[in-house]
Amino acid sequence: MALRHAVLAALLDEELSGYQLAKAFDLGVANFWHALPQQLYTELAKLEKDGLVTGREVVQDTRPNKRLFKVTEAGLAELERFAATANKPSFIRDDLLVTVQAADHVDTDEVIAQLTERAAFADAKIELFGGLLRQMRGDRSEEEFLRHGERIGPYLTCLRGLAFEEGNRDWCHRSAAILRERRTAHAQR
Amino acid sequence: MALRHAVLAALLDEELSGYQLAKAFDLGVANFWHALPQQLYTELAKLEKDGLVTGREVVQDTRPNKRLFKVTEAGLAELERFAATANKPSFIRDDLLVTVQAADHVDTDEVIAQLTERAAFADAKIELFGGLLRQMRGDRSEEEFLRHGERIGPYLTCLRGLAFEEGNRDWCHRSAAILRERRTAHAQR
DNA sequence: CCATGATAGTCAATTAAGTGACTAATCGCT
DNA sequence: AGCGATTAGTCACTTAATTGACTATCATGG
């Protein structure tokens, strides 16, 4: 029951439409919560029904009209309640790890290919997060920003995302290197 | 559709009962895939129906009887197929990150408490994974084991789990420290 | 001027995941 | 002798997540 809180947290900084929210969940927000557009539209409807967000119609002549949502007082209170109670440890579900777990029983070339692909994906994320961080802290140093910035939550989660992807990249490179070396060694026998 | 592959990957090394599998998914395996006992019993039944695993009844007199499952040839082929096609990037869903995202809008003490709790959890995991790694490599060095060990898949995934939890721990400590400092600075004004 | 892609969604249906309660045996402990 | 913990599950139910198809409008490139 935490998608709703992820949506509330994402709407704290700016009013967003369902569509924009979906974009956000595809980029930075996906860093702390993953969700598909469908879920977001559904969840926004529920949140509005429960009075945790309010939507307002914005008429556009160049684009289709949209509804921008913002968090209400009740929504903030709900987030507060959530912060005080929630603590399910995060769980991982990763196809790549499943594949590597089975590495000794499946085609090594495939595993190496998957690892390489994931490393590239991680690199893209690392660049993305690096850019987001620079943007958030502006001309301040990280230390300075974290000390005195007025909105550091997104910065902290982005730092975690960055470290996570760096971890992914390093592990992918190392694992691929090991598998390559073993393949070579095996071929030489 | 990857829980089935996670189960197959987990059953590669040893025959397990549903109950044992559930234990495993609560410990090490949870490192690459999270699932509840319910799901595992259900999935095992499906896998058996589809001929990807076979179960055999083991009569115990000291304990209730159990059914041990092992992967069939068809199961191995299915894993092979999976390894060659799957590549959904792993997604994160973490209550704690949602909380930290909202850190500037909710009670700082609560956020710090959650971070501290998670750091302790990460420490426990780090110890657990460290032990598992030692056990897997035996008296060999890591390098030696990874070069010549005959079953390195679980070792590699465990390494990722270890690095992940170390990342968690470090990030939790740093974030908590930053929030504590800001709280103090704010109080002094 | 037509196709493609971005914006901004909705509806229906299925699958996966999670919750809660319940059975049954044995072991250790008090 | 009885209580709780551990082993080894099953059944019913609800909620969350995913898949796929569909409707519009407008802008841009060829």
Side-chain angles (χ1 to χ4, degrees):
Chain A
M1 236 191 31
L3 168 60
R4 59 189 310 128
H5 303 106
V7 170
L8 289 172
L11 287 176
L12 282 175
D13 296 293
E14 29 177 5
E15 277 185 305
L16 292 173
S17 66
Y19 189 79
Q20 291 172 301
L21 199 57
K23 294 273 159 194
F25 268 75
D26 225 44
L27 297 177
V29 181
N31 165 34
F32 64 88
W33 203 270
H34 162 86
L36 300 168
Q38 267 312 323
Q39 267 177 287
L40 298 173
Y41 285 116
T42 310
E43 197 61 42
L44 279 172
K46 280 194 224 163
L47 282 166
E48 193 178 23
K49 200 196 66 193
D50 296 347
L52 305 184
V53 304
T54 44
R56 64 186 178 91
E57 186 89 14
V58 172
V59 179
Q60 304 182 119
D61 37 86
T62 121
R63 294 275 159 212
N65 296 348
K66 61 182 173 184
R67 302 199 66 218
L68 292 183
F69 294 91
K70 67 177 168 192
V71 180
T72 63
E73 283 305 309
L76 252 176
E78 173 62 20
L79 251 185
E80 189 85 43
R81 200 197 54 68
F82 171 79
T85 61
N87 210 343
K88 291 193 193 170
S90 79
F91 48 81
I92 298 174
R93 284 185 175 134
D94 191 334
D95 284 1
L96 180 58
L97 286 171
V98 172
T99 300
V100 172
Q101 175 81 14
D104 310 289
H105 296 267
V106 301
D107 183 15
T108 304
D109 288 350
E110 281 299 341
V111 181
I112 291 171
Q114 304 282 342
L115 285 165
T116 307
E117 203 177 312
R118 176 63 64 86
F121 181 82
D123 273 330
K125 280 277 192 176
I126 288 165
E127 265 195 62
L128 173 70
F129 289 150
L132 288 175
L133 290 170
R134 269 192 302 279
Q135 201 180 309
M136 280 189 268
R137 71 171 173 264
D139 49 5
R140 288 163 289 189
S141 75
E142 183 162 294
E143 207 197 345
E144 169 66 14
F145 174 74
L146 286 173
R147 245 183 246 273
H148 305 298
E150 66 297 323
R151 180 80 175 102
I152 63 163
Y155 197 92
L156 290 175
T157 57
C158 199
L159 276 179
R160 184 68 193 101
L162 180 64
F164 175 68
E165 293 299 347
E166 285 172 346
N168 265 339
R169 181 198 53 193
D170 295 348
W171 176 79
C172 285
H173 284 319
R174 187 178 176 208
S175 299
I178 288 164
L179 290 175
R180 257 186 239 107
E181 213 182 288
R182 288 167 62 94
R183 191 180 48 181
T184 310
H186 189 267
Q188 279 172 351
R189 255 182 248 152
Chain B
M1 238 192 29
L3 168 61
R4 59 190 311 125
H5 304 105
V7 170
L8 289 172
L11 287 176
L12 282 175
D13 297 293
E14 30 176 4
E15 278 186 305
L16 292 173
S17 65
Y19 189 79
Q20 291 172 301
L21 199 57
K23 293 273 159 191
F25 268 76
D26 225 45
L27 297 176
V29 182
N31 166 34
F32 65 88
W33 203 272
H34 162 87
L36 300 168
Q38 265 312 322
Q39 266 178 287
L40 298 174
Y41 283 116
T42 310
E43 196 62 41
L44 279 173
K46 280 194 223 162
L47 282 166
E48 194 178 21
K49 200 195 69 194
D50 297 346
L52 306 183
V53 304
T54 44
R56 63 183 178 92
E57 186 87 14
V58 172
V59 179
Q60 303 182 119
D61 38 85
T62 121
R63 293 275 158 211
N65 296 347
K66 61 183 173 183
R67 301 199 66 217
L68 292 182
F69 295 91
K70 68 177 169 191
V71 180
T72 63
E73 282 305 311
L76 251 176
E78 173 63 19
L79 252 184
E80 190 85 46
R81 202 197 51 69
F82 171 80
T85 62
N87 210 344
K88 292 195 193 168
S90 79
F91 50 80
I92 299 174
R93 285 184 174 133
D94 191 334
D95 285 1
L96 180 58
L97 286 170
V98 174
T99 301
V100 171
Q101 176 81 12
D104 310 289
H105 296 268
V106 301
D107 182 15
T108 304
D109 288 349
E110 281 299 341
V111 181
I112 292 172
Q114 303 281 342
L115 284 165
T116 307
E117 203 177 312
R118 176 64 64 87
F121 181 82
D123 273 330
K125 280 276 193 177
I126 288 165
E127 264 194 63
L128 173 70
F129 289 150
L132 288 175
L133 290 170
R134 268 191 303 278
Q135 201 180 308
M136 279 188 270
R137 72 173 172 261
D139 50 4
R140 288 163 289 189
S141 75
E142 183 162 294
E143 207 197 345
E144 168 65 16
F145 174 75
L146 287 173
R147 244 184 245 274
H148 305 298
E150 68 295 324
R151 181 79 175 104
I152 64 165
Y155 198 93
L156 290 175
T157 57
C158 199
L159 276 179
R160 184 68 194 101
L162 180 64
F164 175 68
E165 292 300 346
E166 286 172 346
N168 266 339
R169 182 198 53 194
D170 295 349
W171 176 78
C172 285
H173 284 320
R174 186 177 177 209
S175 300
I178 288 163
L179 290 174
R180 257 186 238 108
E181 215 183 287
R182 287 166 63 94
R183 191 181 49 182
T184 309
H186 189 267
Q188 280 171 350
R189 255 183 245 150

